[in-house]
Amino acid sequence: MKSTIKHEWRKTEKGIYMPKNKPELINLPKFQYLSIYGEGNPNSSLFTEHIQTLYSVAYAIKMTLKKMTVVPENYIDWTVYPLEGEWDISKSAKKNYKGVLNKDELVYNLMIRQPEFISIDFFNEMLEHTKKKKPQRLLDRIQFTEITEGPCIQMLHLGSYDNEIETFEKMEAFAMSKNLKRKSKVHKEIYLSDFRKVAEEKLKTVLRFQLKI
């Protein structure tokens, strides 16, 4: 018999997904994700297509499980986790970087976390199912990966993505005050707001970077 409990990450995992707008330390264990790699400007239609493709598989997994009579061990229904993005600039951009960011040179790995009871085999099954039911050209780029972020600093950023540098400056100053060093300029963003529906000044985004161990 299926459990009537539903996992709500906003309520039960506040420490991971709902930080305050001041820097804080966090140590993250291994989680598994659907992910898709891309390059280029996040304001482009291609970036939106990457997001849509990722969500199509995430919801195929969730909704198929809800309909199944025999489900994986430890299964409970869950609210789909928020979209996350790991951001960097291309190798060629790093060679010629002069302090000005060109969004066309960005590289990203978008991801949606999956519950522990989802297996690689079930993911593969749902990927094939999605290809047949809702064909999309980027589906072959979807990966099922495990990521351990480990010790990090994170903070809630309010407002435009273009102002994130102000929040990162606070996070880096906090790291210095604790004698901690940032691992790299790669960072993660967790999107608590839908940028298509929420006014720019009201956007809520978790910013996070890993620390050098």
mmCIF file of all heavy atoms in Angstrom, residues 23-27 150-154 168-185 209-213:
data_model
loop_
_atom_site.group_PDB
_atom_site.id
_atom_site.type_symbol
_atom_site.label_atom_id
_atom_site.label_comp_id
_atom_site.label_asym_id
_atom_site.label_seq_id
_atom_site.Cartn_x
_atom_site.Cartn_y
_atom_site.Cartn_z
ATOM 1 N N PRO A 23 25.323 35.140 4.769
ATOM 2 C CA PRO A 23 26.137 33.943 4.495
ATOM 3 C C PRO A 23 26.086 32.929 5.630
ATOM 4 O O PRO A 23 26.009 33.291 6.809
ATOM 5 C CB PRO A 23 27.553 34.518 4.341
ATOM 6 C CG PRO A 23 27.366 35.961 4.048
ATOM 7 C CD PRO A 23 26.129 36.365 4.789
ATOM 8 N N GLU A 24 26.132 31.647 5.246
ATOM 9 C CA GLU A 24 26.157 30.579 6.237
ATOM 10 C C GLU A 24 26.921 29.382 5.682
ATOM 11 O O GLU A 24 27.004 29.184 4.472
ATOM 12 C CB GLU A 24 24.738 30.164 6.622
ATOM 13 C CG GLU A 24 23.914 29.606 5.466
ATOM 14 C CD GLU A 24 22.485 29.255 5.857
ATOM 15 O OE1 GLU A 24 21.944 29.899 6.772
ATOM 16 O OE2 GLU A 24 21.924 28.323 5.237
ATOM 17 N N LEU A 25 27.479 28.611 6.599
ATOM 18 C CA LEU A 25 28.189 27.385 6.240
ATOM 19 C C LEU A 25 27.217 26.226 6.157
ATOM 20 O O LEU A 25 26.262 26.140 6.941
ATOM 21 C CB LEU A 25 29.266 27.063 7.276
ATOM 22 C CG LEU A 25 30.480 27.989 7.327
ATOM 23 C CD1 LEU A 25 31.268 27.745 8.618
ATOM 24 C CD2 LEU A 25 31.365 27.760 6.119
ATOM 25 N N ILE A 26 27.467 25.326 5.217
ATOM 26 C CA ILE A 26 26.657 24.117 5.103
ATOM 27 C C ILE A 26 27.538 23.007 4.557
ATOM 28 O O ILE A 26 28.441 23.262 3.753
ATOM 29 C CB ILE A 26 25.419 24.343 4.198
ATOM 30 C CG1 ILE A 26 24.502 23.119 4.208
ATOM 31 C CG2 ILE A 26 25.839 24.706 2.769
ATOM 32 C CD1 ILE A 26 23.151 23.367 3.557
ATOM 33 N N ASN A 27 27.304 21.779 5.004
ATOM 34 C CA ASN A 27 28.055 20.616 4.509
ATOM 35 C C ASN A 27 27.067 19.661 3.865
ATOM 36 O O ASN A 27 26.213 19.092 4.549
ATOM 37 C CB ASN A 27 28.798 19.941 5.663
ATOM 38 C CG ASN A 27 29.856 18.958 5.169
ATOM 39 O OD1 ASN A 27 30.017 18.764 3.962
ATOM 40 N ND2 ASN A 27 30.568 18.342 6.084
ATOM 41 N N GLY A 150 29.772 18.775 -0.518
ATOM 42 C CA GLY A 150 30.622 18.904 0.655
ATOM 43 C C GLY A 150 30.478 20.262 1.330
ATOM 44 O O GLY A 150 29.415 20.891 1.281
ATOM 45 N N PRO A 151 31.553 20.780 1.941
ATOM 46 C CA PRO A 151 31.473 22.063 2.648
ATOM 47 C C PRO A 151 31.304 23.232 1.690
ATOM 48 O O PRO A 151 32.049 23.357 0.718
ATOM 49 C CB PRO A 151 32.802 22.146 3.411
ATOM 50 C CG PRO A 151 33.731 21.215 2.686
ATOM 51 C CD PRO A 151 32.876 20.134 2.109
ATOM 52 N N CYS A 152 30.326 24.076 1.973
ATOM 53 C CA CYS A 152 30.000 25.208 1.104
ATOM 54 C C CYS A 152 29.599 26.415 1.949
ATOM 55 O O CYS A 152 29.308 26.303 3.136
ATOM 56 C CB CYS A 152 28.809 24.863 0.200
ATOM 57 S SG CYS A 152 29.047 23.505 -0.946
ATOM 58 N N ILE A 153 29.568 27.566 1.286
ATOM 59 C CA ILE A 153 28.922 28.749 1.827
ATOM 60 C C ILE A 153 27.756 29.076 0.921
ATOM 61 O O ILE A 153 27.883 29.037 -0.306
ATOM 62 C CB ILE A 153 29.895 29.949 1.912
ATOM 63 C CG1 ILE A 153 30.934 29.703 3.006
ATOM 64 C CG2 ILE A 153 29.138 31.245 2.200
ATOM 65 C CD1 ILE A 153 32.000 30.771 3.111
ATOM 66 N N GLN A 154 26.601 29.373 1.533
ATOM 67 C CA GLN A 154 25.427 29.708 0.746
ATOM 68 C C GLN A 154 24.721 30.914 1.349
ATOM 69 O O GLN A 154 24.930 31.278 2.506
ATOM 70 C CB GLN A 154 24.463 28.533 0.634
ATOM 71 C CG GLN A 154 23.808 28.126 1.948
ATOM 72 C CD GLN A 154 22.814 26.985 1.769
ATOM 73 O OE1 GLN A 154 22.781 26.304 0.748
ATOM 74 N NE2 GLN A 154 21.984 26.765 2.770
ATOM 75 N N PHE A 168 27.775 37.648 -3.725
ATOM 76 C CA PHE A 168 29.010 36.858 -3.692
ATOM 77 C C PHE A 168 30.113 37.574 -2.919
ATOM 78 O O PHE A 168 30.922 36.940 -2.241
ATOM 79 C CB PHE A 168 29.477 36.531 -5.114
ATOM 80 C CG PHE A 168 28.756 35.374 -5.733
ATOM 81 C CD1 PHE A 168 28.014 35.538 -6.897
ATOM 82 C CD2 PHE A 168 28.805 34.116 -5.145
ATOM 83 C CE1 PHE A 168 27.340 34.467 -7.458
ATOM 84 C CE2 PHE A 168 28.121 33.038 -5.705
ATOM 85 C CZ PHE A 168 27.395 33.219 -6.858
ATOM 86 N N GLU A 169 30.158 38.887 -2.993
ATOM 87 C CA GLU A 169 31.155 39.645 -2.232
ATOM 88 C C GLU A 169 30.951 39.456 -0.732
ATOM 89 O O GLU A 169 31.919 39.316 0.033
ATOM 90 C CB GLU A 169 31.080 41.127 -2.606
ATOM 91 C CG GLU A 169 31.669 41.419 -3.988
ATOM 92 C CD GLU A 169 31.451 42.860 -4.421
ATOM 93 O OE1 GLU A 169 30.702 43.597 -3.720
ATOM 94 O OE2 GLU A 169 32.013 43.261 -5.469
ATOM 95 N N LYS A 170 29.705 39.432 -0.297
ATOM 96 C CA LYS A 170 29.395 39.188 1.116
ATOM 97 C C LYS A 170 29.797 37.765 1.520
ATOM 98 O O LYS A 170 30.347 37.546 2.603
ATOM 99 C CB LYS A 170 27.905 39.401 1.379
ATOM 100 C CG LYS A 170 27.439 40.831 1.213
ATOM 101 C CD LYS A 170 25.941 40.941 1.422
ATOM 102 C CE LYS A 170 25.448 42.367 1.192
ATOM 103 N NZ LYS A 170 23.966 42.469 1.338
ATOM 104 N N MET A 171 29.545 36.814 0.636
ATOM 105 C CA MET A 171 29.882 35.419 0.914
ATOM 106 C C MET A 171 31.396 35.223 0.995
ATOM 107 O O MET A 171 31.900 34.509 1.867
ATOM 108 C CB MET A 171 29.265 34.521 -0.166
ATOM 109 C CG MET A 171 27.750 34.510 -0.151
ATOM 110 S SD MET A 171 27.004 33.822 -1.662
ATOM 111 C CE MET A 171 27.468 32.094 -1.521
ATOM 112 N N GLU A 172 32.131 35.869 0.094
ATOM 113 C CA GLU A 172 33.583 35.735 0.092
ATOM 114 C C GLU A 172 34.206 36.434 1.302
ATOM 115 O O GLU A 172 35.184 35.946 1.874
ATOM 116 C CB GLU A 172 34.145 36.281 -1.215
ATOM 117 C CG GLU A 172 33.809 35.388 -2.408
ATOM 118 C CD GLU A 172 34.279 35.956 -3.741
ATOM 119 O OE1 GLU A 172 34.608 37.161 -3.782
ATOM 120 O OE2 GLU A 172 34.299 35.199 -4.728
ATOM 121 N N ALA A 173 33.624 37.557 1.720
ATOM 122 C CA ALA A 173 34.105 38.239 2.927
ATOM 123 C C ALA A 173 33.864 37.365 4.155
ATOM 124 O O ALA A 173 34.716 37.288 5.065
ATOM 125 C CB ALA A 173 33.392 39.582 3.085
ATOM 126 N N PHE A 174 32.725 36.684 4.179
ATOM 127 C CA PHE A 174 32.413 35.756 5.269
ATOM 128 C C PHE A 174 33.417 34.612 5.302
ATOM 129 O O PHE A 174 33.901 34.213 6.370
ATOM 130 C CB PHE A 174 30.990 35.214 5.084
ATOM 131 C CG PHE A 174 30.567 34.196 6.099
ATOM 132 C CD1 PHE A 174 30.197 34.585 7.376
ATOM 133 C CD2 PHE A 174 30.527 32.846 5.771
ATOM 134 C CE1 PHE A 174 29.789 33.640 8.321
ATOM 135 C CE2 PHE A 174 30.132 31.898 6.696
ATOM 136 C CZ PHE A 174 29.758 32.290 7.979
ATOM 137 N N ALA A 175 33.751 34.084 4.120
ATOM 138 C CA ALA A 175 34.742 33.000 4.035
ATOM 139 C C ALA A 175 36.085 33.455 4.598
ATOM 140 O O ALA A 175 36.725 32.732 5.378
ATOM 141 C CB ALA A 175 34.894 32.543 2.584
ATOM 142 N N MET A 176 36.512 34.640 4.225
ATOM 143 C CA MET A 176 37.783 35.178 4.711
ATOM 144 C C MET A 176 37.776 35.345 6.227
ATOM 145 O O MET A 176 38.769 35.075 6.903
ATOM 146 C CB MET A 176 38.078 36.519 4.043
ATOM 147 C CG MET A 176 38.477 36.415 2.584
ATOM 148 S SD MET A 176 38.903 38.025 1.860
ATOM 149 C CE MET A 176 40.377 38.432 2.803
ATOM 150 N N SER A 177 36.647 35.772 6.787
ATOM 151 C CA SER A 177 36.544 35.964 8.232
ATOM 152 C C SER A 177 36.661 34.646 8.997
ATOM 153 O O SER A 177 36.982 34.627 10.181
ATOM 154 C CB SER A 177 35.217 36.643 8.583
ATOM 155 O OG SER A 177 34.119 35.757 8.444
ATOM 156 N N LYS A 178 36.383 33.537 8.299
ATOM 157 C CA LYS A 178 36.466 32.196 8.896
ATOM 158 C C LYS A 178 37.738 31.463 8.468
ATOM 159 O O LYS A 178 37.893 30.269 8.741
ATOM 160 C CB LYS A 178 35.246 31.362 8.472
ATOM 161 C CG LYS A 178 33.900 31.943 8.868
ATOM 162 C CD LYS A 178 33.654 31.843 10.348
ATOM 163 C CE LYS A 178 32.258 32.319 10.722
ATOM 164 N NZ LYS A 178 32.017 32.260 12.173
ATOM 165 N N ASN A 179 38.639 32.192 7.782
ATOM 166 C CA ASN A 179 39.882 31.589 7.257
ATOM 167 C C ASN A 179 39.593 30.419 6.312
ATOM 168 O O ASN A 179 40.288 29.406 6.327
ATOM 169 C CB ASN A 179 40.798 31.139 8.401
ATOM 170 C CG ASN A 179 41.333 32.312 9.196
ATOM 171 O OD1 ASN A 179 41.746 33.318 8.618
ATOM 172 N ND2 ASN A 179 41.321 32.186 10.515
ATOM 173 N N LEU A 180 38.557 30.578 5.510
ATOM 174 C CA LEU A 180 38.171 29.564 4.539
ATOM 175 C C LEU A 180 38.433 30.095 3.136
ATOM 176 O O LEU A 180 38.386 31.300 2.887
ATOM 177 C CB LEU A 180 36.691 29.212 4.689
ATOM 178 C CG LEU A 180 36.280 28.643 6.055
ATOM 179 C CD1 LEU A 180 34.767 28.596 6.183
ATOM 180 C CD2 LEU A 180 36.887 27.256 6.266
ATOM 181 N N LYS A 181 38.684 29.182 2.195
ATOM 182 C CA LYS A 181 38.968 29.582 0.819
ATOM 183 C C LYS A 181 37.965 28.948 -0.141
ATOM 184 O O LYS A 181 37.610 27.788 -0.021
ATOM 185 C CB LYS A 181 40.393 29.170 0.423
ATOM 186 C CG LYS A 181 41.483 29.955 1.151
ATOM 187 C CD LYS A 181 42.855 29.602 0.622
ATOM 188 C CE LYS A 181 43.937 30.423 1.316
ATOM 189 N NZ LYS A 181 45.293 30.105 0.795
ATOM 190 N N ARG A 182 37.555 29.766 -1.101
ATOM 191 C CA ARG A 182 36.657 29.283 -2.141
ATOM 192 C C ARG A 182 37.401 28.308 -3.039
ATOM 193 O O ARG A 182 38.543 28.555 -3.433
ATOM 194 C CB ARG A 182 36.140 30.481 -2.938
ATOM 195 C CG ARG A 182 35.079 30.153 -3.950
ATOM 196 C CD ARG A 182 34.473 31.428 -4.519
ATOM 197 N NE ARG A 182 33.529 31.139 -5.586
ATOM 198 C CZ ARG A 182 32.748 32.042 -6.172
ATOM 199 N NH1 ARG A 182 32.815 33.303 -5.782
ATOM 200 N NH2 ARG A 182 31.903 31.695 -7.138
ATOM 201 N N LYS A 183 36.743 27.202 -3.376
ATOM 202 C CA LYS A 183 37.378 26.163 -4.187
ATOM 203 C C LYS A 183 37.669 26.649 -5.602
ATOM 204 O O LYS A 183 38.739 26.386 -6.158
ATOM 205 C CB LYS A 183 36.476 24.923 -4.231
ATOM 206 C CG LYS A 183 37.076 23.743 -4.971
ATOM 207 C CD LYS A 183 36.142 22.543 -4.903
ATOM 208 C CE LYS A 183 36.718 21.360 -5.661
ATOM 209 N NZ LYS A 183 35.799 20.182 -5.600
ATOM 210 N N SER A 184 36.718 27.346 -6.199
ATOM 211 C CA SER A 184 36.870 27.858 -7.574
ATOM 212 C C SER A 184 35.813 28.918 -7.809
ATOM 213 O O SER A 184 34.971 29.177 -6.950
ATOM 214 C CB SER A 184 36.714 26.731 -8.597
ATOM 215 O OG SER A 184 35.360 26.323 -8.681
ATOM 216 N N LYS A 185 35.829 29.519 -8.975
ATOM 217 C CA LYS A 185 34.819 30.516 -9.325
ATOM 218 C C LYS A 185 33.518 29.874 -9.807
ATOM 219 O O LYS A 185 32.543 30.568 -10.075
ATOM 220 C CB LYS A 185 35.353 31.468 -10.397
ATOM 221 C CG LYS A 185 36.369 32.471 -9.856
ATOM 222 C CD LYS A 185 35.746 33.387 -8.805
ATOM 223 C CE LYS A 185 36.725 34.418 -8.286
ATOM 224 N NZ LYS A 185 36.114 35.290 -7.253
ATOM 225 N N PHE A 209 28.745 28.370 -3.124
ATOM 226 C CA PHE A 209 30.007 27.923 -3.693
ATOM 227 C C PHE A 209 30.713 26.974 -2.734
ATOM 228 O O PHE A 209 30.539 27.052 -1.521
ATOM 229 C CB PHE A 209 30.913 29.090 -4.121
ATOM 230 C CG PHE A 209 31.315 30.055 -3.041
ATOM 231 C CD1 PHE A 209 32.180 29.683 -2.016
ATOM 232 C CD2 PHE A 209 30.854 31.364 -3.067
ATOM 233 C CE1 PHE A 209 32.574 30.590 -1.033
ATOM 234 C CE2 PHE A 209 31.236 32.271 -2.092
ATOM 235 C CZ PHE A 209 32.103 31.884 -1.080
ATOM 236 N N GLN A 210 31.477 26.064 -3.323
ATOM 237 C CA GLN A 210 32.201 25.069 -2.537
ATOM 238 C C GLN A 210 33.466 25.662 -1.935
ATOM 239 O O GLN A 210 34.065 26.598 -2.470
ATOM 240 C CB GLN A 210 32.571 23.868 -3.436
ATOM 241 C CG GLN A 210 31.355 23.061 -3.872
ATOM 242 C CD GLN A 210 31.744 21.919 -4.782
ATOM 243 O OE1 GLN A 210 32.002 22.121 -5.958
ATOM 244 N NE2 GLN A 210 31.805 20.718 -4.256
ATOM 245 N N LEU A 211 33.895 25.070 -0.821
ATOM 246 C CA LEU A 211 35.095 25.508 -0.126
ATOM 247 C C LEU A 211 36.233 24.535 -0.357
ATOM 248 O O LEU A 211 36.014 23.328 -0.522
ATOM 249 C CB LEU A 211 34.815 25.622 1.375
ATOM 250 C CG LEU A 211 33.808 26.698 1.777
ATOM 251 C CD1 LEU A 211 33.422 26.538 3.239
ATOM 252 C CD2 LEU A 211 34.355 28.093 1.505
ATOM 253 N N LYS A 212 37.424 25.058 -0.368
ATOM 254 C CA LYS A 212 38.625 24.236 -0.522
ATOM 255 C C LYS A 212 38.852 23.488 0.785
ATOM 256 O O LYS A 212 38.901 24.090 1.865
ATOM 257 C CB LYS A 212 39.828 25.114 -0.852
ATOM 258 C CG LYS A 212 41.082 24.345 -1.265
ATOM 259 C CD LYS A 212 42.198 25.297 -1.640
ATOM 260 C CE LYS A 212 41.896 26.041 -2.924
ATOM 261 N NZ LYS A 212 43.031 26.900 -3.362
ATOM 262 N N ILE A 213 38.989 22.178 0.692
ATOM 263 C CA ILE A 213 39.175 21.352 1.898
ATOM 264 C C ILE A 213 40.655 21.302 2.267
ATOM 265 O O ILE A 213 41.498 21.077 1.423
ATOM 266 C CB ILE A 213 38.635 19.927 1.654
ATOM 267 C CG1 ILE A 213 37.143 19.999 1.303
ATOM 268 C CG2 ILE A 213 38.840 19.044 2.880
ATOM 269 C CD1 ILE A 213 36.547 18.669 0.903
#
